[in-house]
Amino acid sequence: MSQEDQARAGGETPAATEYEPGQDNVQILGLDVHNPVFAVSALTIIAFVFFSLVFQDQAAEFFGWLRPALTSQFDWVFMIACNIFVLFSLFLVVSPFGSIRLGGDKARPDYSYLGWFSMLFAAGMGIGLVFWGVAEPISHYGSSLGGTALGEDGLRSDWAPLGAAAADAEKAREMAMAATIFHWGLHPWAIYAIVGLALAFFCYNQGLPLTMRSVFYPLFGKATWGPLGHIIDVIAVFATIFGLATSLGLGATQALAGLNYLFDVPVTDGMKVLLIILITAFALVSVVAGLDKGVKRLSEANMILAAGLLVLVIIVGPTLAILTGFFTNLADYVIYLPELSNWVGREDTNFLQGWTTFYWAWWISWSPFVGMFIARISRGRTIREFVTCVLLIPTVVGALWMSVFGGAALDMVMGDSGQALTDAALELKMFKMFEAFPMTGILSFIGIILVVVFFVTSSDSGSLVIDTITAGGKTDAPTAQRVFWCILEGAIAIVLLLGGGLGALQAAAIATGFPFAIVLVLMCLSILIGLMRERRKKVGAVH
């Protein structure tokens, strides 16, 4: 069933446009691709891969310059934009617009709550939670406890959040957990909620193609289907593929560190490349299987694995401290939220630019992929139900994850038994923490499997989304196209790792996230216009 058919089935009148999904497509060599979005996106990315491999030294130097250049000049853009997304999402929950059902009044959800939540959470930030769950709280704790420091230029040179907590261990812990949950809480999920809602509403309620350009029809009218729309879709493809590559690179680094820890597998660039190739091959199998048979089943299996690991850590770790810490951490997050969200007069520039701005750019670069994926699986939900489940529930679950893993790690560090944990490389911190618990080998092995499967679910769902964009909104394009994008994602991750490691990955995410931040702010305006028209139409029908 096409998007327009789905809209009509839900009892809604499609938007006043005759544009059909895929009407500008060309069929060549068994492919069905949008002209020129597919060609421009694919050729540009392939050229990037080629030149980055050929000129690795120059690529490393460029990426080393790019990240600080963007974060130091445009941190305010990211901060303002993401605050807008949170406030707008909360407004939708309490507004009359919340009763509008995605797909029309007669539409019903295609997936159960378990299947729906498993897929959106696995796609949203699975790899990141596993990678940073131990590493980030420890980093913020150490920098906060060390207090502030000034460089030769008179500016702060430390990485502590806000005013730090010199020599105050308990306050340092509070700030560490509040800052960590801040980076994984309302702000990132508000970004996903905005994009997912926009795509779902304009597709299922207005009968427009499931592509990023459709969201801007209320603002630009028929120009949406011309060059302006091509630019929007191409930027969405770039943001998606580089945001995914960042996470895939982090996941491969951590999985290899775990394999080295358990089985002495050598940590070399060649092994990282081999691991990315192997996991991309698994993702290809899921991509070929499709959304219901591949992505959905893997996502549900991964949620079971993640829940199992979470429960095991609660049981074998400092159980009472973890459970009580969860509620304390949530309260600290709420208390520090206004300060952490503020961008005016901040002196903690390293934290603001190196941590928060990077995260906001990373989430924004992921938003076309996660948002479109959430839209595809959310037909039948009301706007209030959609925003609540996409915004609030994942925030609480993320806080629980960080409280369990970060809380257990901080308990070790504050108890003077965590020096090895503090000194360990970022990708090894989780495995080092497991050393202090019973069943070390089992916990570490589950952790590796979790990283790998999150890797696969991110790659396969990302491939489905990019293929939809580059196929002009068609969701039933030939399988070969999804395979192409899946392979290209793996290639980008390899190139970025070889061309500068973690810094290159982060620079790429920020570079693609910046222009898309502006696009998302316009998206909020477009959603509001579309919802107001929808309400007026319903009121007019009643009278």
Side-chain angles (χ1 to χ4, degrees):
M1 183 183 289
S2 71
Q3 281 79 28
E4 187 166 346
D5 291 335
Q6 288 174 334
R8 290 192 175 114
E12 301 296 334
T13 303
T17 174
E18 297 178 355
Y19 190 89
E20 293 286 343
Q23 75 173 38
D24 293 328
N25 286 15
V26 294
Q27 288 73 39
I28 183 172
L29 300 175
L31 303 179
D32 186 358
V33 297
H34 187 278
N35 180 38
V37 173
F38 181 91
V40 172
S41 302
L43 292 176
T44 303
I45 293 170
I46 290 172
F48 169 84
V49 171
F50 174 77
F51 285 110
S52 296
L53 284 175
V54 173
F55 304 104
Q56 287 190 28
D57 292 340
Q58 292 87 340
E61 182 180 350
F62 172 72
F63 290 129
W65 163 83
L66 182 61
R67 175 181 169 173
L70 285 173
T71 55
S72 62
Q73 297 296 319
F74 299 106
D75 52 347
W76 59 276
V77 174
F78 290 106
M79 296 296 289
I80 293 175
C82 290
N83 287 337
I84 289 173
F85 304 148
V86 173
L87 294 174
F88 186 63
S89 297
L90 295 175
F91 161 74
L92 291 176
V93 172
V94 300
S95 74
F97 301 130
S99 61
I100 296 174
R101 188 174 294 276
L102 299 174
D105 294 337
K106 298 179 182 178
R108 291 296 175 264
D110 297 322
Y111 302 98
S112 66
Y113 273 113
L114 176 62
W116 183 48
F117 185 73
S118 297
M119 286 191 283
L120 75 88
F121 199 79
M125 51 181 60
I127 287 178
L129 282 174
V130 178
F131 188 93
W132 293 108
V134 174
E136 185 172 349
I138 290 177
S139 177
H140 295 328
Y141 173 79
S143 58
S144 296
L145 193 63
T148 60
L150 299 179
E152 294 181 358
D153 55 2
L155 301 176
R156 278 178 55 175
S157 57
D158 62 273
W159 285 77
L162 303 176
D168 187 340
E170 192 52 44
K171 186 177 181 182
R173 180 191 181 109
E174 291 177 6
M175 296 188 72
M177 292 307 303
T180 300
I181 296 173
F182 173 63
H183 290 149
W184 298 84
L186 291 174
H187 285 75
W189 285 101
I191 296 168
Y192 296 159
I194 293 298
V195 179
L197 174 63
L199 288 164
F201 174 75
F202 286 107
C203 172
Y204 300 134
N205 294 67
Q206 302 294 302
L208 297 176
L210 188 63
T211 65
M212 203 59 61
R213 69 175 69 199
S214 296
V215 174
F216 299 94
Y217 186 78
L219 292 178
F220 304 123
K222 292 183 178 180
T224 305
W225 318 123
L228 180 62
H230 301 336
I231 293 171
I232 292 171
D233 279 348
V234 168
I235 292 175
V237 172
F238 289 163
T240 301
I241 204 157
F242 286 109
L244 270 172
T246 303
S247 295
L248 300 186
L250 290 174
T253 301
Q254 188 177 33
L256 185 57
L259 290 171
N260 172 263
Y261 174 78
L262 284 179
F263 307 114
D264 292 324
V265 175
V267 180
T268 63
D269 285 344
M271 286 304 301
K272 289 178 183 177
V273 170
L274 179 60
L275 188 60
I276 292 175
I277 291 172
L278 289 175
I279 299 178
T280 300
F282 286 118
L284 283 172
V285 175
S286 180
V287 161
V288 172
L291 183 64
D292 291 338
K293 294 181 180 178
V295 179
K296 178 175 178 288
R297 291 177 181 175
L298 267 179
S299 298
E300 290 176 344
N302 224 22
M303 287 300 293
I304 294 171
L305 266 179
L309 184 61
L310 195 75
V311 171
L312 279 176
V313 173
I314 292 174
I315 293 173
V316 302
T319 307
L320 184 60
I322 288 173
L323 294 178
T324 56
F326 167 63
F327 298 101
T328 303
N329 295 335
L330 269 181
D332 291 333
Y333 166 55
V334 173
I335 291 170
Y336 283 105
L337 183 59
E339 288 184 85
L340 291 168
S341 301
N342 175 49
W343 67 95
V344 180
R346 292 278 290 267
E347 296 180 355
D348 55 338
T349 51
N350 281 340
F351 174 82
L352 175 64
Q353 297 170 1
W355 280 100
T356 303
T357 303
F358 161 65
Y359 269 128
W360 288 181
W362 189 15
W363 302 139
I364 289 171
S365 70
W366 264 52
S367 65
F369 143 55
V370 180
M372 187 173 290
F373 184 73
I374 293 174
R376 286 191 64 176
I377 62 177
S378 298
R379 184 175 177 270
R381 310 285 178 185
T382 66
I383 289 178
R384 185 170 292 112
E385 178 187 18
F386 175 91
V387 176
T388 299
C389 290
V390 175
L391 180 66
L392 300 181
I393 294 178
T395 294
V396 174
V397 173
L400 175 62
W401 183 278
M402 291 301 183
S403 294
V404 171
F405 284 80
L410 288 177
D411 190 76
M412 291 173 56
V413 173
M414 294 174 71
D416 297 325
S417 61
Q419 191 58 48
L421 181 57
T422 302
D423 295 339
L426 287 175
E427 61 270 16
L428 264 179
K429 287 188 185 295
M430 182 178 71
F431 303 108
K432 282 293 182 182
M433 184 185 76
F434 289 159
E435 283 184 356
F437 300 153
M439 302 187 296
T440 300
I442 294 175
L443 290 171
S444 298
F445 186 71
I446 293 175
I448 294 171
I449 297 299
L450 197 59
V451 171
V452 169
V453 182
F454 270 135
F455 194 144
V456 173
T457 54
S458 295
S459 181
D460 58 13
S461 49
S463 302
L464 291 171
V465 166
I466 295 174
D467 182 46
T468 301
I469 297 174
T470 56
K474 298 183 71 171
T475 57
D476 56 352
T479 302
Q481 294 171 208
R482 301 198 297 271
V483 170
F484 168 79
W485 289 112
C486 188
I487 292 172
L488 202 55
E489 286 164 25
I492 289 287
I494 290 170
V495 165
L496 290 174
L497 275 175
L498 295 178
L502 181 60
L505 293 167
Q506 294 173 337
I510 290 173
T512 53
F514 173 68
F516 217 72
I518 310 301
V519 171
L520 294 193
V521 172
L522 290 175
M523 190 178 291
C524 292
L525 178 59
S526 189
I527 293 172
L528 187 59
I529 294 173
L531 292 176
M532 290 172 65
R533 290 176 179 173
E534 184 82 359
R535 286 283 296 176
R536 284 198 299 267
K537 183 176 65 177
K538 287 198 171 188
V539 171
V542 170
H543 293 290

